[in-house]
Amino acid sequence: MPLTDHGRARKQQFHDRLGILHHRTLGHKLKERFPAAFNTQWTRRHWVHASLFATLGALVATIVPGFSAQLEPQPKLHATLPLSLPPLTVHAPTAAQPGHQWEVVQIQRGQTLGALFESMGVSTQVMHQILEQPGNREPLTRLRAGAELAFALDDDGQLHGFRFDRSPSERVELTLAGGKIHEKVLERATTTRVAVTSAEIEHSLYAAGRKAGLSPASIAVMTDEIFKYDIDFKDVQRGDRFSAVVEEVWREGERIGGGRILAASFTTGGKTYTGLRFEQDGKVGYYTPEGRPLKKSFIRMPIPYARLSSSFGARRHPVLGKMRMHKGVDYAAGTGTPIMAAGDARVQFVGQQRGYGNVVILDHGKGHTTLYAHMSRFGKVRQGQTVSQGTVIGYVGSTGLATGPHLHYEFRVNGQHRNPLSVTMPPPEPLKGPALAAFRAQVAPTLARIESMEKLLYASTGTPSGKRG
C-alpha cells in the first residue's frame, strides 16, 4: 500500500533516531580509544598545546635531514654518500718533476753511453751537457756492463731527470729544467766485511781467482805487488793454491765489490809464501809473519815483457866491432816501452852521455846505483828528485850507440859494476821495536784466519776450489 504523507513522515523520524543511536554508540567506542582530552570539548588551552606540539614537530623535521622523508616508504636505492675526509698525503716520485717516473736501464756488454742515450730518445746535446757537469765524465764514460742508469722522461720524451751511481756510496740525481742542471747527491750507506777465500788452480790463476770471488784488481795486487819478488807466475802449475783475507763492500744486502787484501798465502812448488798488509808512516807494504818486507830493495828486471838480448861480460860490440866489456845487460823491447826504477832512489843524473844516448842514473843509497841507457825520451823526473821503486823514469829507444831499440841496464856497488842477474841484492830492513809490536798486534787476527783456512784446505781430501769463509 502506498504510504501517505503522514506515513512517510513517521518513517523518516524512525531513521533519524537510528542514526542518532549509531552516532552515540560510535562516540562511546571512540571515547574508549582516545585519551580523555579528546573525549571532551576542546578548550583554548587544548588548542594552544596542539599548536605547540605541531610547531615542535615541524622543527624536528627541519633539523634532522631526511626525517620527514623517512615517514613515508621510499624505494630501495644504492647511493654514494660524499664523506668529508682529511686530504691524502701524496709522496711525490723522486723524479726530476712531479709525475715523472724513473725508468731504470742496465748497460749491456759493448754498449756505449751514446748508444744508450740514443735508445732512450735523449739527444746527444743533452748527454754532453750532463757529461760537462763537474765529476760526471769519468764515472759515466767508464761504466761496466750491468751498471744501472735511470731516466725520467715526460710524455713528449723530454728528459727531466737522470740518475747514476758516482761511487759505491754516492748516487747522483740530476734535474734538468730551463736549460740548466741541478744536482743532488744522495749518500748510500755501505758496510765493509772481512772474508776468507781460497782456491786451487785448475787451468789458470786468473780463472781460479775469479771463481773464488776475487776481482781482477785483487788478483793483480797478489801477483804484481805481494808475491812479485818471490813467485814467477808464468811457472804456476795445476794444483798450486792460494788463500786471501779480503775486505768486501756491501750495500743494502748486496755485495758490490772487493776492497783491500789484508793477507794472502800462495803455495807453489811445495813451498808456501805468506804476505800480511801493514801500514807504517803512511806507507803500505806486505810483510812476512816475522815482520820482514816482501818488497825487495831492487827488482832485477826494470822493464816488463822484455827479452834478454845481451848478457853481462866480455863481448864484441855490435857497432864498434871490437871486444869490449859489457858492463850491464840488454833487454830488447819496442820503442816507447816504459822503464821503471829498480828501487827507491834519488835521481842522480838525467841527460845524455856519449854512447849511452839518453841516460838516467839513480842513487839507491849505501853505495848502490843503477844506470838506464838508450832511452827514446825521459819520464817526468828531474835531477835531485826522489822516486819510488816502479816509477816510470823513461821509455825504451835506440839513442847513442845502438843498433835497435833496447834498454841497457847497469848495477853498481861502490862504483864497481856487478851482474844485475846474479848480484846478491841487499835485503830490506825488517820491522823493529814499536813498529814490530804494532805489526804483530794488528795482523794477529788476520793471520789466525788465513792459517785456519790453510789447515782446512790441507786437511780436506776433496778439491777446495772456490771455498769462502
Side-chain angles (χ1 to χ4, degrees):
M1 164 182 283
L3 293 177
T4 62
D5 291 340
H6 179 74
R8 285 193 290 271
R10 289 182 61 86
K11 186 178 180 178
Q12 183 64 42
Q13 290 179 357
F14 177 76
H15 285 293
D16 289 344
R17 287 182 179 180
L18 286 177
I20 292 172
L21 180 61
H22 174 76
H23 282 293
R24 286 179 179 177
T25 304
L26 181 62
H28 284 293
K29 291 181 179 181
L30 290 174
K31 285 181 181 180
E32 293 175 1
R33 291 189 178 186
F34 288 96
F38 290 94
N39 296 331
T40 60
Q41 186 176 1
W42 278 26
T43 64
R44 179 181 179 84
R45 186 180 64 178
H46 291 152
W47 287 107
V48 170
H49 289 170
S51 176
L52 178 60
F53 283 119
T55 303
L56 289 174
L59 289 174
V60 170
T62 303
I63 295 172
V64 181
F67 180 84
S68 59
Q70 295 298 327
L71 297 179
E72 298 180 3
Q74 298 292 331
K76 294 183 179 181
L77 300 175
H78 294 283
T80 301
L81 299 178
L83 300 178
S84 179
L85 297 175
L88 293 175
T89 302
V90 180
H91 296 284
T94 58
Q97 297 291 336
H100 300 140
Q101 299 296 327
W102 289 112
E103 182 175 351
V104 180
V105 296
Q106 281 190 341
I107 293 287
Q108 302 300 316
R109 186 175 299 277
Q111 187 179 36
T112 64
L113 188 67
L116 178 62
F117 269 74
E118 183 179 358
S119 68
M120 296 298 296
V122 180
S123 67
T124 304
Q125 181 181 358
V126 174
M127 182 188 73
H128 286 296
Q129 187 180 4
I130 292 174
L131 291 175
E132 289 170 1
Q133 290 290 112
N136 286 357
R137 181 172 295 275
E138 182 175 356
L140 285 176
T141 54
R142 300 179 64 181
L143 292 171
R144 296 183 177 181
E148 293 185 344
L149 302 178
F151 296 79
L153 304 172
D154 62 13
D155 295 336
D156 297 328
Q158 298 296 315
L159 183 68
H160 287 275
F162 180 68
R163 189 177 68 201
F164 69 97
D165 293 335
R166 181 177 291 169
S167 69
S169 60
E170 283 188 343
R171 171 164 288 180
V172 177
E173 192 173 294
L174 303 177
T175 303
L176 291 79
K180 295 183 179 180
I181 296 180
H182 303 279
E183 178 182 293
K184 180 169 65 175
V185 179
L186 307 174
E187 293 293 333
R188 307 184 70 190
T190 60
T191 57
T192 301
R193 306 177 186 177
V194 177
V196 182
T197 182
S198 296
E200 186 175 275
I201 297 173
E202 296 179 356
H203 304 292
S204 70
L205 171 60
Y206 182 83
R210 295 296 288 153
K211 187 175 182 179
L214 292 180
S215 67
S218 295
I219 297 173
V221 168
M222 194 162 55
T223 59
D224 299 343
E225 186 174 349
I226 302 177
F227 300 120
K228 67 179 289 187
Y229 301 96
D230 298 308
I231 301 174
D232 186 350
F233 286 96
K234 295 191 297 293
D235 297 333
V236 169
Q237 302 293 323
R238 180 188 180 103
D240 290 348
R241 66 181 77 198
F242 66 86
S243 300
V245 180
V246 297
E247 291 181 336
E248 297 179 339
V249 182
W250 288 72
R251 182 185 63 214
E252 300 169 1
E254 177 186 5
R255 181 178 179 267
I256 60 175
R260 303 174 299 181
I261 294 183
L262 303 182
S265 67
F266 204 102
T267 301
T268 181
K271 185 176 181 180
T272 299
Y273 302 87
T274 301
L276 302 164
R277 188 181 188 276
F278 180 64
E279 182 174 347
Q280 180 185 17
D281 299 330
K283 293 184 178 181
V284 176
Y286 287 89
Y287 297 77
T288 67
E290 296 74 32
R292 185 172 293 278
L294 291 178
K295 175 184 176 181
K296 302 298 187 287
S297 300
F298 294 90
I299 52 178
R300 293 192 182 275
M301 191 172 178
I303 181 172
Y305 315 115
R307 174 179 59 86
L308 181 66
S309 58
S310 185
S311 301
F312 182 87
R315 65 163 189 174
R316 186 177 298 276
H317 196 279
V319 176
L320 300 178
K322 299 179 180 179
M323 291 297 297
R324 297 184 62 176
M325 180 65 181
H326 191 224
K327 299 179 181 180
V329 293
D330 292 344
Y331 292 105
T335 300
T337 303
I339 301 170
M340 301 177 295
D344 298 341
R346 181 182 62 86
V347 180
Q348 180 177 313
F349 179 83
V350 177
Q352 293 184 340
Q353 286 188 0
R354 301 183 302 278
Y356 285 137
N358 293 330
V359 64
V360 172
I361 300 176
L362 301 181
D363 183 358
H364 304 276
K366 298 183 178 180
H368 296 81
T369 60
T370 53
L371 179 145
Y372 313 78
H374 304 309
M375 293 181 176
S376 60
R377 58 190 176 96
F378 301 110
K380 296 180 180 180
V381 294
R382 64 183 184 278
Q383 189 170 331
Q385 176 185 351
T386 299
V387 295
S388 300
Q389 185 182 82
T391 301
V392 175
I393 58 175
Y395 301 86
V396 169
S398 55
T399 57
L401 294 177
T403 57
H406 70 281
L407 167 67
H408 174 77
Y409 174 57
E410 295 182 5
F411 191 94
R412 303 174 183 174
V413 179
N414 297 321
Q416 301 295 317
H417 291 85
R418 302 291 178 85
N419 185 351
L421 301 181
S422 60
V423 64
T424 301
M425 299 293 186
E429 289 293 326
L431 296 173
K432 298 177 181 179
L436 180 59
F439 166 77
R440 287 174 174 169
Q442 178 178 312
V443 304
T446 305
L447 184 60
R449 297 187 71 166
I450 202 166
E451 286 179 344
S452 298
M453 180 59 73
E454 286 294 307
K455 290 179 180 178
L456 175 64
L457 284 175
Y458 284 110
S460 175
T461 56
T463 300
S465 180
K467 286 191 176 182
R468 296 180 67 83

